[in-house]
Amino acid sequence: MNEAAELFSGSFLGVILMKTLSVVLPVYNEEGTLKTVLKQIKKVNVLEIIVIANGCTDASVKIAKEEGCMVKVVEKRLSPHEARMEGAKAAKGDAVLFVDGDIILSASEIERFVQPLLFGHSDVVLNKWEKTKINAFNRSEMTWSAVLHHALGKPHRANAYLKAPYGVLLSVLKNYWEMPPLSLFVTLLTQYRVSSHITIETQGKGRFRPFDRPLRSRERIQSYQQLLQTYYTLASNLKRRVDMLAQPIPVVEHGWGKLSSFYGGKQLSVIVPVCNEEQTIKQVIAEARKLEPLEIIVVINGSTDQSEAYAKEQGVKTLVYDERLGHDCGRAAGALAATGDILLFIDGDFVLSAQELYPFASAVASGVDVALNVCEDEEKLTHVVQGWKYVLNETIGRKDLLMSSMTAVPHAISRECLEKIKPESLTVPPFAQIKAIIEGFHVQAVHHVDVNKFNRFRYSEHLSLKSHSPTAELIIQDHIFAFLSYLQRD
Protein backbone atom coordinates (compact mmCIF):
# COMPACT_ATOMS: atom_id res chain seq x y z
CA MET A 1 0.00 0.00 0.00
CA ASN A 2 1.49 3.36 -1.00
CA GLU A 3 1.73 6.38 1.29
CA ALA A 4 -1.37 8.08 -0.11
CA ALA A 5 -3.43 4.91 0.31
CA GLU A 6 -2.25 4.49 3.88
CA LEU A 7 -3.14 8.09 4.67
CA PHE A 8 -6.58 7.67 3.10
CA SER A 9 -7.14 4.40 4.94
CA GLY A 10 -6.16 5.91 8.31
CA SER A 11 -8.35 8.95 7.73
CA PHE A 12 -11.30 6.79 6.65
CA LEU A 13 -10.89 4.51 9.68
CA GLY A 14 -10.86 7.60 11.94
CA VAL A 15 -14.14 8.81 10.42
CA ILE A 16 -15.72 5.40 10.88
CA LEU A 17 -14.69 5.15 14.52
CA MET A 18 -15.40 8.75 15.50
CA LYS A 19 -18.50 9.30 17.61
CA THR A 20 -21.11 11.94 16.83
CA LEU A 21 -21.26 15.15 18.86
CA SER A 22 -24.17 17.25 20.10
CA VAL A 23 -23.44 20.72 21.44
CA VAL A 24 -25.69 22.14 24.17
CA LEU A 25 -25.66 25.89 24.60
CA PRO A 26 -27.81 27.63 27.25
CA VAL A 27 -28.26 31.33 26.53
CA TYR A 28 -29.66 34.18 28.57
CA ASN A 29 -29.72 37.41 26.56
CA GLU A 30 -26.46 36.68 24.72
CA GLU A 31 -27.23 38.49 21.43
CA GLY A 32 -23.90 40.31 21.66
CA THR A 33 -21.79 37.12 21.48
CA LEU A 34 -24.09 34.33 20.30
CA LYS A 35 -23.51 34.68 16.55
CA THR A 36 -19.72 34.51 16.97
CA VAL A 37 -19.99 31.55 19.39
CA LEU A 38 -22.14 29.64 16.89
CA LYS A 39 -19.85 30.52 13.97
CA GLN A 40 -16.92 28.78 15.69
CA ILE A 41 -18.96 25.72 16.70
CA LYS A 42 -20.25 25.26 13.14
CA LYS A 43 -16.66 24.96 11.88
CA VAL A 44 -16.44 21.73 13.87
CA ASN A 45 -18.03 18.51 12.63
CA VAL A 46 -21.05 18.47 14.97
CA LEU A 47 -24.30 16.58 14.57
CA GLU A 48 -26.45 19.33 16.09
CA ILE A 49 -26.42 22.49 18.17
CA ILE A 50 -29.11 22.70 20.83
CA VAL A 51 -29.77 26.17 22.19
CA ILE A 52 -31.68 26.50 25.45
CA ALA A 53 -33.23 29.97 25.51
CA ASN A 54 -33.22 30.36 29.29
CA GLY A 55 -35.63 33.20 30.00
CA CYS A 56 -34.34 35.32 27.10
CA THR A 57 -35.88 38.71 26.37
CA ASP A 58 -33.52 39.83 23.59
CA ALA A 59 -32.82 38.59 20.05
CA SER A 60 -30.95 35.43 21.10
CA VAL A 61 -33.77 33.09 19.98
CA LYS A 62 -34.02 34.75 16.58
CA ILE A 63 -30.25 34.49 16.04
CA ALA A 64 -30.17 30.82 17.05
CA LYS A 65 -32.99 29.94 14.64
CA GLU A 66 -31.39 31.88 11.79
CA GLU A 67 -28.17 29.89 12.37
CA GLY A 68 -30.05 26.60 12.03
CA CYS A 69 -29.93 25.52 15.67
CA MET A 70 -32.50 23.43 17.48
CA VAL A 71 -34.04 25.91 19.95
CA LYS A 72 -35.86 25.07 23.13
CA VAL A 73 -37.45 28.02 24.90
CA VAL A 74 -37.64 27.99 28.71
CA GLU A 75 -39.98 30.64 30.10
CA LYS A 76 -38.97 30.36 33.77
CA ARG A 77 -35.24 30.78 34.15
CA LEU A 78 -33.33 27.66 35.20
CA SER A 79 -29.94 27.44 36.87
CA PRO A 80 -27.07 26.98 34.38
CA HIS A 81 -26.76 23.30 35.29
CA GLU A 82 -30.51 22.66 34.96
CA ALA A 83 -30.51 24.37 31.55
CA ARG A 84 -27.64 22.20 30.35
CA MET A 85 -29.39 19.01 31.44
CA GLU A 86 -32.60 20.16 29.74
CA GLY A 87 -30.66 20.49 26.49
CA ALA A 88 -28.90 17.16 26.93
CA LYS A 89 -32.27 15.38 27.15
CA ALA A 90 -32.91 16.36 23.53
CA ALA A 91 -29.46 15.34 22.26
CA LYS A 92 -29.06 12.63 19.62
CA GLY A 93 -25.26 12.49 19.44
CA ASP A 94 -23.04 9.89 21.07
CA ALA A 95 -21.42 12.63 23.15
CA VAL A 96 -22.60 15.97 24.50
CA LEU A 97 -20.41 19.06 24.75
CA PHE A 98 -21.59 21.88 27.01
CA VAL A 99 -20.51 25.42 26.17
CA ASP A 100 -21.68 28.89 27.17
CA GLY A 101 -23.27 31.58 25.05
CA ASP A 102 -21.16 34.38 26.48
CA ILE A 103 -17.69 32.79 26.11
CA ILE A 104 -16.23 32.52 22.61
CA LEU A 105 -14.18 29.37 22.02
CA SER A 106 -12.24 28.86 18.81
CA ALA A 107 -12.98 25.90 16.56
CA SER A 108 -9.48 24.53 17.14
CA GLU A 109 -9.96 24.67 20.94
CA ILE A 110 -13.26 22.81 20.66
CA GLU A 111 -11.81 20.14 18.36
CA ARG A 112 -8.83 19.43 20.62
CA PHE A 113 -11.04 19.43 23.69
CA VAL A 114 -13.53 16.78 22.49
CA GLN A 115 -11.09 14.39 20.79
CA PRO A 116 -10.84 11.93 23.75
CA LEU A 117 -14.64 11.60 23.74
CA LEU A 118 -15.07 11.22 20.01
CA PHE A 119 -12.34 8.60 19.60
CA GLY A 120 -13.36 6.49 22.59
CA HIS A 121 -10.43 7.31 24.87
CA SER A 122 -12.56 8.69 27.72
CA ASP A 123 -16.13 8.94 28.98
CA VAL A 124 -15.79 12.46 30.35
CA VAL A 125 -13.71 15.47 29.32
CA LEU A 126 -13.15 18.23 31.87
CA ASN A 127 -11.37 21.54 31.60
CA LYS A 128 -7.90 21.15 33.08
CA TRP A 129 -7.28 23.10 36.26
CA GLU A 130 -4.57 25.70 36.02
CA LYS A 131 -2.95 27.22 39.10
CA THR A 132 -4.51 30.66 39.11
CA LYS A 133 -3.65 33.34 41.61
CA ILE A 134 -6.35 33.37 44.27
CA ASN A 135 -8.16 36.66 44.75
CA ALA A 136 -11.34 37.99 46.34
CA PHE A 137 -13.40 37.03 43.29
CA ASN A 138 -12.35 33.41 42.77
CA ARG A 139 -11.22 32.21 46.21
CA SER A 140 -14.56 30.58 47.09
CA GLU A 141 -14.77 28.58 43.89
CA MET A 142 -11.13 27.52 43.90
CA THR A 143 -11.08 26.61 47.58
CA TRP A 144 -14.24 24.50 47.51
CA SER A 145 -12.88 22.70 44.47
CA ALA A 146 -9.58 21.96 46.22
CA VAL A 147 -11.16 20.55 49.39
CA LEU A 148 -13.54 18.41 47.34
CA HIS A 149 -10.65 16.81 45.48
CA HIS A 150 -8.89 16.20 48.78
CA ALA A 151 -11.95 14.46 50.24
CA LEU A 152 -12.11 12.24 47.17
CA GLY A 153 -8.41 11.48 47.33
CA LYS A 154 -7.98 12.76 43.78
CA PRO A 155 -5.34 15.14 42.44
CA HIS A 156 -6.69 18.62 41.86
CA ARG A 157 -6.70 18.74 38.07
CA ALA A 158 -10.23 19.71 37.09
CA ASN A 159 -12.73 22.32 38.17
CA ALA A 160 -15.33 20.71 40.41
CA TYR A 161 -18.14 23.05 39.35
CA LEU A 162 -18.69 21.39 35.98
CA LYS A 163 -18.39 24.79 34.36
CA ALA A 164 -18.47 24.82 30.60
CA PRO A 165 -16.76 23.59 28.61
CA TYR A 166 -17.09 19.97 29.56
CA GLY A 167 -18.22 16.89 27.68
CA VAL A 168 -19.81 13.55 28.56
CA LEU A 169 -20.88 10.48 26.62
CA LEU A 170 -24.66 10.50 26.33
CA SER A 171 -24.82 6.86 27.44
CA VAL A 172 -23.24 7.94 30.74
CA LEU A 173 -25.08 11.22 31.21
CA LYS A 174 -28.59 9.92 30.67
CA ASN A 175 -28.40 8.03 33.98
CA TYR A 176 -27.90 11.25 35.98
CA TRP A 177 -30.30 13.89 34.60
CA GLU A 178 -31.55 14.96 38.02
CA MET A 179 -28.25 14.92 39.86
CA PRO A 180 -26.94 18.30 41.13
CA PRO A 181 -23.64 19.45 39.60
CA LEU A 182 -21.25 18.59 42.42
CA SER A 183 -22.76 15.15 42.91
CA LEU A 184 -22.54 14.58 39.16
CA PHE A 185 -18.92 15.68 39.20
CA VAL A 186 -18.09 13.25 42.00
CA THR A 187 -19.85 10.42 40.15
CA LEU A 188 -18.04 11.16 36.90
CA LEU A 189 -14.64 11.56 38.57
CA THR A 190 -14.84 8.37 40.62
CA GLN A 191 -16.68 5.97 38.31
CA TYR A 192 -15.71 6.82 34.73
CA ARG A 193 -12.70 7.45 32.51
CA VAL A 194 -11.94 11.15 32.78
CA SER A 195 -9.66 13.24 30.57
CA SER A 196 -8.42 16.70 31.52
CA HIS A 197 -5.80 17.02 28.82
CA ILE A 198 -6.02 20.71 27.92
CA THR A 199 -6.85 24.01 29.54
CA ILE A 200 -9.35 26.41 28.01
CA GLU A 201 -9.09 29.66 29.94
CA THR A 202 -12.51 30.96 31.03
CA GLN A 203 -11.49 32.82 34.20
CA GLY A 204 -12.68 36.41 33.97
CA LYS A 205 -14.52 35.81 30.71
CA GLY A 206 -18.26 35.84 30.22
CA ARG A 207 -20.92 37.92 31.90
CA PHE A 208 -21.14 38.57 35.64
CA ARG A 209 -24.23 36.79 36.99
CA PRO A 210 -24.66 37.47 40.73
CA PHE A 211 -28.22 36.09 40.62
CA ASP A 212 -26.81 32.58 40.06
CA ARG A 213 -24.73 32.62 43.25
CA PRO A 214 -27.34 31.73 45.93
CA LEU A 215 -28.51 28.69 43.97
CA ARG A 216 -24.97 27.52 43.28
CA SER A 217 -24.07 27.91 46.95
CA ARG A 218 -27.07 25.84 48.04
CA GLU A 219 -26.36 23.11 45.48
CA ARG A 220 -22.73 23.06 46.57
CA ILE A 221 -23.44 22.60 50.28
CA GLN A 222 -26.13 19.97 49.70
CA SER A 223 -23.78 18.01 47.46
CA TYR A 224 -21.01 18.12 50.04
CA GLN A 225 -23.07 16.84 52.94
CA GLN A 226 -23.39 13.22 51.82
CA LEU A 227 -19.87 13.11 50.43
CA LEU A 228 -18.27 14.43 53.60
CA GLN A 229 -20.37 12.19 55.83
CA THR A 230 -18.86 9.22 54.02
CA TYR A 231 -15.34 10.67 54.21
CA TYR A 232 -15.61 11.48 57.89
CA THR A 233 -16.95 8.03 58.79
CA LEU A 234 -14.11 6.31 56.96
CA ALA A 235 -11.23 8.61 57.91
CA SER A 236 -12.00 9.90 61.37
CA ASN A 237 -9.78 8.71 64.15
CA LEU A 238 -9.97 11.36 66.84
CA LYS A 239 -7.20 10.35 69.23
CA ARG A 240 -8.49 12.23 72.22
CA ARG A 241 -9.11 11.10 75.76
CA VAL A 242 -12.25 13.16 76.20
CA ASP A 243 -13.35 10.75 78.94
CA MET A 244 -10.57 12.13 81.15
CA LEU A 245 -12.32 15.49 81.26
CA ALA A 246 -15.19 13.96 83.24
CA GLN A 247 -12.82 12.97 86.05
CA PRO A 248 -11.72 15.31 88.86
CA ILE A 249 -9.21 17.89 87.65
CA PRO A 250 -5.73 16.81 88.83
CA VAL A 251 -4.45 20.12 90.21
CA VAL A 252 -1.06 19.44 91.81
CA GLU A 253 0.01 23.06 92.21
CA HIS A 254 -2.34 26.00 92.79
CA GLY A 255 0.09 28.74 91.82
CA TRP A 256 -0.29 32.48 92.22
CA GLY A 257 -1.47 35.48 90.21
CA LYS A 258 -2.73 39.02 90.70
CA LEU A 259 -5.82 41.14 90.23
CA SER A 260 -5.23 43.13 87.07
CA SER A 261 -6.23 46.66 86.09
CA PHE A 262 -5.59 45.97 82.39
CA TYR A 263 -9.03 44.65 81.51
CA GLY A 264 -11.62 47.01 82.97
CA GLY A 265 -12.23 44.99 86.11
CA LYS A 266 -12.22 41.63 84.33
CA GLN A 267 -9.61 39.03 85.24
CA LEU A 268 -7.49 36.88 82.94
CA SER A 269 -6.72 33.16 82.91
CA VAL A 270 -3.90 32.03 80.60
CA ILE A 271 -4.04 28.37 79.59
CA VAL A 272 -0.94 26.57 78.33
CA PRO A 273 -1.08 22.89 77.29
CA VAL A 274 2.39 21.35 77.54
CA CYS A 275 3.99 18.13 76.35
CA ASN A 276 7.76 17.95 76.79
CA GLU A 277 8.39 21.68 76.50
CA GLU A 278 11.22 22.06 79.03
CA GLN A 279 13.20 24.18 76.54
CA THR A 280 10.54 26.90 76.29
CA ILE A 281 8.09 26.69 79.20
CA LYS A 282 9.92 29.14 81.50
CA GLN A 283 9.99 31.85 78.82
CA VAL A 284 6.38 31.20 77.85
CA ILE A 285 5.31 31.68 81.47
CA ALA A 286 7.48 34.79 81.86
CA GLU A 287 5.80 36.52 78.90
CA ALA A 288 2.31 35.45 80.02
CA ARG A 289 2.95 36.84 83.48
CA LYS A 290 3.48 40.33 81.99
CA LEU A 291 -0.23 40.31 81.10
CA GLU A 292 -1.10 40.44 84.84
CA PRO A 293 -3.15 37.22 84.80
CA LEU A 294 -5.21 36.10 87.75
CA GLU A 295 -3.78 32.66 86.98
CA ILE A 296 -1.59 30.83 84.51
CA ILE A 297 -2.74 27.24 84.09
CA VAL A 298 -0.18 24.82 82.69
CA VAL A 299 -1.69 21.50 81.64
CA ILE A 300 0.99 18.82 81.73
CA ASN A 301 -0.21 16.55 78.97
CA GLY A 302 1.75 13.28 79.10
CA SER A 303 5.16 14.95 79.53
CA THR A 304 8.20 12.84 80.34
CA ASP A 305 10.75 15.65 80.72
CA GLN A 306 11.17 18.47 83.27
CA SER A 307 8.16 20.52 82.10
CA GLU A 308 6.15 19.80 85.24
CA ALA A 309 9.00 20.69 87.59
CA TYR A 310 9.72 23.92 85.74
CA ALA A 311 6.05 24.95 85.77
CA LYS A 312 5.84 24.42 89.53
CA GLU A 313 9.04 26.42 90.03
CA GLN A 314 7.45 29.35 88.22
CA GLY A 315 4.48 29.39 90.61
CA VAL A 316 1.71 28.60 88.15
CA LYS A 317 -1.38 26.46 88.60
CA THR A 318 -0.34 23.04 87.34
CA LEU A 319 -2.62 20.24 86.13
CA VAL A 320 -0.88 16.93 85.55
CA TYR A 321 -2.11 14.13 83.29
CA ASP A 322 0.28 11.20 83.10
CA GLU A 323 -0.95 10.13 79.68
CA ARG A 324 -1.44 12.32 76.64
CA LEU A 325 -5.01 13.51 76.31
CA GLY A 326 -4.72 14.12 72.59
CA HIS A 327 -5.14 17.25 70.53
CA ASP A 328 -6.93 20.15 72.21
CA CYS A 329 -8.12 18.18 75.24
CA GLY A 330 -5.47 20.07 77.17
CA ARG A 331 -7.20 23.33 76.34
CA ALA A 332 -10.53 21.96 77.51
CA ALA A 333 -8.99 20.68 80.75
CA GLY A 334 -7.46 24.09 81.40
CA ALA A 335 -10.77 25.81 80.67
CA LEU A 336 -12.55 23.57 83.18
CA ALA A 337 -10.05 24.63 85.84
CA ALA A 338 -10.05 28.34 84.96
CA THR A 339 -11.74 30.99 87.11
CA GLY A 340 -11.05 34.15 85.07
CA ASP A 341 -13.52 36.24 83.06
CA ILE A 342 -11.22 36.05 80.02
CA LEU A 343 -9.48 32.85 78.91
CA LEU A 344 -6.40 33.19 76.72
CA PHE A 345 -5.08 30.04 75.04
CA ILE A 346 -1.44 29.76 73.99
CA ASP A 347 0.96 26.88 73.35
CA GLY A 348 3.96 25.83 75.39
CA ASP A 349 6.30 25.03 72.51
CA PHE A 350 7.05 28.57 71.34
CA VAL A 351 7.43 31.93 73.01
CA LEU A 352 5.22 34.88 72.05
CA SER A 353 5.80 38.28 73.58
CA ALA A 354 3.27 39.88 75.86
CA GLN A 355 2.82 42.57 73.20
CA GLU A 356 1.65 39.90 70.74
CA LEU A 357 -0.69 38.27 73.27
CA TYR A 358 -2.29 41.36 74.78
CA PRO A 359 -4.58 42.24 71.79
CA PHE A 360 -6.51 38.98 72.24
CA ALA A 361 -7.23 39.46 75.94
CA SER A 362 -7.90 43.16 75.40
CA ALA A 363 -10.44 42.44 72.63
CA VAL A 364 -12.45 40.16 74.92
CA ALA A 365 -12.30 42.77 77.68
CA SER A 366 -13.77 45.25 75.16
CA GLY A 367 -16.74 43.07 74.18
CA VAL A 368 -15.51 40.44 71.73
CA ASP A 369 -16.49 36.92 72.85
CA VAL A 370 -14.06 34.93 70.73
CA ALA A 371 -10.89 36.76 69.62
CA LEU A 372 -9.09 34.88 66.84
CA ASN A 373 -5.68 35.07 65.24
CA VAL A 374 -6.07 36.82 61.89
CA CYS A 375 -5.36 34.53 58.94
CA GLU A 376 -6.19 36.23 55.66
CA ASP A 377 -3.23 35.49 53.41
CA GLU A 378 -5.02 34.15 50.33
CA GLU A 379 -1.87 32.46 49.09
CA LYS A 380 -2.27 30.03 52.00
CA LEU A 381 -5.56 28.80 50.56
CA THR A 382 -3.48 26.56 48.32
CA HIS A 383 -2.90 24.42 51.42
CA VAL A 384 -5.95 22.24 51.94
CA VAL A 385 -6.01 22.73 55.74
CA GLN A 386 -6.44 26.47 55.25
CA GLY A 387 -8.96 25.67 52.54
CA TRP A 388 -11.11 23.73 54.98
CA LYS A 389 -11.01 26.63 57.43
CA TYR A 390 -12.26 28.98 54.73
CA VAL A 391 -14.95 26.56 53.55
CA LEU A 392 -16.33 26.21 57.07
CA ASN A 393 -16.38 29.95 57.70
CA GLU A 394 -18.15 30.55 54.38
CA THR A 395 -20.72 27.83 55.11
CA ILE A 396 -21.74 29.44 58.41
CA GLY A 397 -22.02 32.86 56.81
CA ARG A 398 -18.73 34.27 58.08
CA LYS A 399 -16.61 34.70 54.97
CA ASP A 400 -15.17 37.77 56.66
CA LEU A 401 -13.16 35.47 58.95
CA LEU A 402 -11.43 33.93 55.92
CA MET A 403 -9.12 31.22 57.41
CA SER A 404 -9.18 32.46 61.01
CA SER A 405 -9.98 29.58 63.32
CA MET A 406 -10.03 28.47 66.95
CA THR A 407 -7.71 25.71 65.80
CA ALA A 408 -4.89 28.26 65.84
CA VAL A 409 -3.38 30.01 68.85
CA PRO A 410 -3.33 32.53 70.30
CA HIS A 411 -7.04 33.03 70.79
CA ALA A 412 -9.20 34.17 73.69
CA ILE A 413 -12.77 33.56 74.81
CA SER A 414 -15.14 35.20 77.26
CA ARG A 415 -16.44 33.41 80.34
CA GLU A 416 -20.03 33.92 79.18
CA CYS A 417 -19.33 32.29 75.82
CA LEU A 418 -17.41 29.40 77.41
CA GLU A 419 -20.26 28.57 79.76
CA LYS A 420 -22.75 28.55 76.89
CA ILE A 421 -20.78 26.39 74.45
CA LYS A 422 -19.32 24.22 77.28
CA PRO A 423 -15.57 23.69 77.85
CA GLU A 424 -15.78 20.17 76.38
CA SER A 425 -16.53 21.65 72.93
CA LEU A 426 -12.99 23.04 72.88
CA THR A 427 -11.69 19.53 72.19
CA VAL A 428 -12.83 20.12 68.57
CA PRO A 429 -12.02 23.81 68.02
CA PRO A 430 -13.95 24.34 64.74
CA PHE A 431 -17.03 22.87 66.41
CA ALA A 432 -16.63 25.28 69.34
CA GLN A 433 -16.31 28.15 66.88
CA ILE A 434 -19.54 27.18 65.11
CA LYS A 435 -21.38 26.86 68.42
CA ALA A 436 -20.25 30.32 69.45
CA ILE A 437 -21.46 31.83 66.16
CA ILE A 438 -24.79 29.99 66.21
CA GLU A 439 -25.39 31.17 69.78
CA GLY A 440 -24.93 34.74 68.62
CA PHE A 441 -21.63 35.53 70.29
CA HIS A 442 -19.27 38.11 68.84
CA VAL A 443 -16.53 36.21 67.03
CA GLN A 444 -13.82 38.34 65.45
CA ALA A 445 -10.29 38.00 64.10
CA VAL A 446 -8.45 40.72 66.00
CA HIS A 447 -4.68 40.46 65.52
CA HIS A 448 -2.18 38.59 63.36
CA VAL A 449 0.61 36.48 64.83
CA ASP A 450 2.58 34.30 62.41
CA VAL A 451 2.80 31.19 64.57
CA ASN A 452 4.00 28.95 61.73
CA LYS A 453 7.53 30.25 62.01
CA PHE A 454 7.60 29.47 65.76
CA ASN A 455 5.75 26.17 65.96
CA ARG A 456 7.86 23.22 67.04
CA PHE A 457 8.20 20.45 64.47
CA ARG A 458 7.26 17.01 65.77
CA TYR A 459 8.17 14.13 63.47
CA SER A 460 5.34 11.89 64.61
CA GLU A 461 2.68 14.55 64.05
CA HIS A 462 3.91 16.85 61.30
CA LEU A 463 5.88 14.62 58.95
CA SER A 464 3.76 13.86 55.92
CA LEU A 465 3.77 10.16 55.07
CA LYS A 466 0.97 10.41 52.53
CA SER A 467 -0.57 13.57 51.10
CA HIS A 468 -0.79 15.29 54.48
CA SER A 469 0.67 14.91 57.94
CA PRO A 470 -1.31 13.22 60.74
CA THR A 471 -1.87 16.62 62.37
CA ALA A 472 -3.17 18.10 59.12
CA GLU A 473 -5.54 15.17 58.62
CA LEU A 474 -6.81 15.54 62.17
CA ILE A 475 -7.52 19.25 61.65
CA ILE A 476 -9.31 18.46 58.39
CA GLN A 477 -11.44 15.84 60.12
CA ASP A 478 -12.30 18.35 62.84
CA HIS A 479 -13.54 20.79 60.24
CA ILE A 480 -15.58 18.12 58.46
CA PHE A 481 -17.14 17.15 61.79
CA ALA A 482 -18.02 20.80 62.45
CA PHE A 483 -19.35 21.20 58.90
CA LEU A 484 -21.64 18.20 59.23
CA SER A 485 -22.75 19.20 62.71
CA TYR A 486 -23.78 22.58 61.36
CA LEU A 487 -25.74 21.10 58.43
CA GLN A 488 -27.46 18.50 60.62
CA ARG A 489 -28.44 20.83 63.46
CA ASP A 490 -32.12 21.00 64.37
Side-chain angles (χ1 to χ4, degrees), residues 28-29 34 45 61 134 147 156 164 182 184 226 229 251 263 265 272 292 308 366 394 400 403 420 472 475 481 490:
Y28 174 69
N29 296 343
L34 182 57
N45 183 24
V61 172
I134 296 176
V147 299
H156 193 198
L182 277 177
L184 177 58
Q226 184 175 7
Q229 181 66 63
V251 179
Y263 311 107
V272 192
E292 293 193 352
E308 178 184 343
S366 300
E394 183 185 64
D400 59 296
M403 295 86 75
K420 186 69 174 181
I475 294 172
F481 172 78
D490 294 330

Side-chain angles (χ1 to χ4, degrees), residues 139-159:
R139 66 182 173 220
S140 177
E141 178 179 318
M142 294 178 72
T143 306
W144 279 89
S145 183
V147 299
L148 172 64
H149 281 79
H150 171 265
L152 294 172
K154 298 287 184 180
H156 193 198
R157 292 176 182 161
N159 192 307

Side-chain angles (χ1 to χ4, degrees), residues 227-273:
L227 168 70
L228 297 185
Q229 181 66 63
T230 301
Y231 176 78
Y232 181 77
T233 301
L234 293 176
S236 180
N237 182 21
L238 302 182
K239 298 177 181 178
R240 297 181 170 102
R241 291 297 310 274
V242 181
D243 58 301
M244 298 291 287
L245 300 178
Q247 300 179 16
I249 299 171
V251 179
V252 300
E253 187 78 21
H254 287 278
W256 54 271
K258 66 181 297 184
L259 294 177
S260 175
S261 60
F262 286 177
Y263 311 107
K266 296 180 180 178
Q267 301 304 317
L268 174 67
S269 297
V270 180
I271 296 164
V272 192

Side-chain angles (χ1 to χ4, degrees), residues 317-381:
K317 182 183 287 188
T318 310
L319 283 57
V320 178
Y321 291 89
D322 293 331
E323 61 178 297
R324 293 196 67 177
L325 300 176
H327 282 272
D328 304 311
C329 284
R331 294 183 196 173
L336 285 166
T339 59
D341 307 297
I342 304 166
L343 288 77
L344 173 64
F345 297 91
I346 61 178
D347 277 350
D349 57 350
F350 56 89
V351 181
L352 296 177
S353 70
Q355 286 83 356
E356 293 281 35
L357 298 174
Y358 176 73
F360 299 93
S362 177
V364 175
S366 300
V368 174
D369 291 296
V370 180
L372 300 175
N373 192 357
V374 172
C375 185
E376 57 185 16
D377 183 355
E378 288 168 340
E379 293 296 329
K380 292 181 179 179
L381 279 172

Side-chain angles (χ1 to χ4, degrees), residues 270-330:
V270 180
I271 296 164
V272 192
V274 168
C275 180
N276 296 338
E277 318 294 4
E278 64 182 11
Q279 299 298 320
T280 53
I281 188 60
K282 290 182 181 181
Q283 295 93 326
V284 169
I285 292 171
E287 289 299 320
R289 186 147 279 149
K290 295 176 184 178
L291 299 172
E292 293 193 352
L294 178 69
E295 58 191 355
I296 298 174
I297 304 173
V298 169
V299 183
I300 302 298
N301 190 0
S303 288
T304 57
D305 67 356
Q306 295 299 306
S307 296
E308 178 184 343
Y310 290 169
K312 292 176 182 177
E313 286 176 9
Q314 300 303 306
V316 301
K317 182 183 287 188
T318 310
L319 283 57
V320 178
Y321 291 89
D322 293 331
E323 61 178 297
R324 293 196 67 177
L325 300 176
H327 282 272
D328 304 311
C329 284

Side-chain angles (χ1 to χ4, degrees), residues 338-488:
T339 59
D341 307 297
I342 304 166
L343 288 77
L344 173 64
F345 297 91
I346 61 178
D347 277 350
D349 57 350
F350 56 89
V351 181
L352 296 177
S353 70
Q355 286 83 356
E356 293 281 35
L357 298 174
Y358 176 73
F360 299 93
S362 177
V364 175
S366 300
V368 174
D369 291 296
V370 180
L372 300 175
N373 192 357
V374 172
C375 185
E376 57 185 16
D377 183 355
E378 288 168 340
E379 293 296 329
K380 292 181 179 179
L381 279 172
T382 56
H383 192 290
V384 74
V385 170
Q386 300 293 52
W388 277 109
K389 292 176 182 178
Y390 176 84
V391 161
L392 184 61
N393 284 333
E394 183 185 64
T395 300
I396 61 180
R398 291 299 307 273
K399 288 175 69 172
D400 59 296
L401 295 176
L402 295 176
M403 295 86 75
S404 301
S405 170
M406 287 180 71
T407 297
V409 292
H411 66 261
I413 186 171
S414 69
R415 167 64 57 183
E416 181 184 4
C417 181
L418 179 70
E419 290 179 351
K420 186 69 174 181
I421 68 174
K422 305 300 182 188
E424 293 80 5
S425 70
L426 300 179
T427 60
V428 184
F431 178 62
Q433 183 168 326
I434 278 186
K435 289 187 72 174
I437 291 171
I438 291 174
E439 294 291 347
F441 288 102
H442 184 186
V443 178
Q444 183 179 331
V446 300
H447 180 64
H448 172 65
V449 180
D450 186 1
V451 296
N452 291 322
K453 65 182 180 182
F454 298 114
N455 213 356
R456 177 182 162 198
F457 185 86
R458 301 173 188 269
Y459 285 97
S460 62
E461 298 175 16
H462 299 141
L463 186 63
S464 178
L465 300 179
K466 296 181 181 178
S467 59
H468 299 290
S469 69
T471 296
E473 286 295 341
L474 182 63
I475 294 172
I476 290 168
Q477 290 164 19
D478 281 354
H479 281 77
I480 293 174
F481 172 78
F483 183 100
L484 293 171
S485 299
Y486 176 75
L487 294 181
Q488 295 167 358

Side-chain angles (χ1 to χ4, degrees), residues 7 12 42 69 73 99 101 118 158 256 314 323 352 390 397 414:
L7 180 63
F12 180 75
K42 289 166 73 174
C69 303
V73 177
V99 296
L118 301 186
W256 54 271
Q314 300 303 306
E323 61 178 297
L352 296 177
Y390 176 84
S414 69

